[in-house]
Amino acid sequence: MNPSISAIKAIIVVCILFFVPTLTANMAPFMYERFALYFPKHENFRIWQFVTNIFMHGSFMHIFFNMYALWAFGSPLEKMWGRKKFYVFFFLAGIGAAVIYTLVNYFQFNNIYEQLIAAGATPEDINAMLQTGTYQTSWLQSVPEEKMEDFRNLYRIPVVGASRAIYGVLVASGILFPKGKLFLI
């Protein structure tokens, strides 16, 4: 990229480059399997997903509002800090939030996993349930049905979007410009 291009524009361009292939039926599975952030025990999990999930988005409205917020709240920060410092902040916010999100989910997942083991499930039974969604009804005496669904969703649904990084930008903007005025469209 051109060294004079702003960080905001560069991030928007990369997000669009990641988003466009997800609009085609044959490329969407490839993009999500490789670049969305999966649960660490999932077969699609890769360490680089802590970065790449920032550029993935689930719908046109998702990317539109994320990029609008990035432009609206990130532009003053980039002007104040400069391009390099803004990049560092943006990626630290996005990666840091993804790590925290993963840790919270990991503890929730392990808590339910231990409850299932205590209910008599074997690791093989639990793995089959994660893959197929079917389980023994006797497990419901120890783990409620909604927790079973949450357990499976923690495992199989990846996270996408720059929202976590942009939330960091929003917080920084609020702290550095506390008297800033917002105009709603």
Side-chain angles (χ1 to χ4, degrees), residues 24-35:
T24 64
N26 60 338
M27 283 299 292
F30 172 84
M31 294 297 290
Y32 285 106
E33 286 172 11
R34 302 306 181 293
F35 303 119

Side-chain angles (χ1 to χ4, degrees), residues 13 44 68 129 133 140:
V13 166
N44 288 341
Y68 174 73
M129 188 273 284
L140 294 175

Side-chain angles (χ1 to χ4, degrees), residues 134-149:
T134 58
Y135 50 86
Q136 297 177 19
T137 55
S138 64
W139 297 353
L140 294 175
Q141 294 173 354
S142 299
V143 181
E145 192 169 358
E146 67 264 2
K147 267 192 162 181
M148 296 289 275
E149 189 62 28

Side-chain angles (χ1 to χ4, degrees), residues 135-180:
Y135 50 86
Q136 297 177 19
T137 55
S138 64
W139 297 353
L140 294 175
Q141 294 173 354
S142 299
V143 181
E145 192 169 358
E146 67 264 2
K147 267 192 162 181
M148 296 289 275
E149 189 62 28
D150 290 345
F151 180 67
R152 190 160 181 259
N153 288 341
L154 286 171
Y155 179 78
R156 68 184 184 90
I157 298 176
V159 66
V160 296
S163 302
R164 292 161 317 280
I166 291 170
Y167 192 73
V169 169
L170 289 171
V171 170
S173 182
I175 290 170
L176 295 172
F177 306 108
K179 295 184 188 228

Side-chain angles (χ1 to χ4, degrees), residues 6-139:
S6 78
I8 304 292
K9 288 178 185 173
I11 292 167
I12 290 172
V13 166
V14 173
C15 286
I16 291 169
L17 290 174
F18 271 73
F19 181 68
V20 169
T22 67
L23 299 174
T24 64
N26 60 338
M27 283 299 292
F30 172 84
M31 294 297 290
Y32 285 106
E33 286 172 11
R34 302 306 181 293
F35 303 119
L37 178 59
Y38 280 88
F39 187 73
K41 293 183 178 183
H42 195 281
E43 63 270 6
N44 288 341
F45 174 76
R46 303 291 182 266
I47 196 74
W48 63 76
Q49 293 170 349
F50 283 105
V51 176
T52 58
N53 83 90
I54 295 169
F55 302 114
M56 298 291 295
H57 289 83
S59 68
F60 176 76
M61 295 307 284
H62 186 202
I63 192 170
F64 175 78
F65 283 113
N66 271 344
M67 297 304 101
Y68 174 73
L70 175 64
W71 170 78
F73 294 97
S75 295
L77 294 176
E78 183 180 0
K79 285 179 185 161
M80 187 169 108
W81 290 338
R83 208 172 40 245
K84 289 180 185 179
K85 190 172 180 180
F86 183 82
Y87 275 131
V88 169
F89 178 81
F90 180 83
F91 284 109
L92 284 177
I95 295 166
V99 167
I100 291 168
Y101 174 86
T102 301
L103 287 172
V104 168
N105 285 347
Y106 194 81
F107 286 117
Q108 290 177 335
F109 181 91
N110 282 338
N111 182 32
I112 298 170
Y113 186 91
E114 293 301 324
Q115 290 176 11
L116 289 171
I117 293 293
T122 66
E124 293 78 22
D125 292 336
I126 295 171
N127 190 45
M129 188 273 284
L130 290 171
Q131 301 302 321
T132 65
T134 58
Y135 50 86
Q136 297 177 19
T137 55
S138 64
W139 297 353

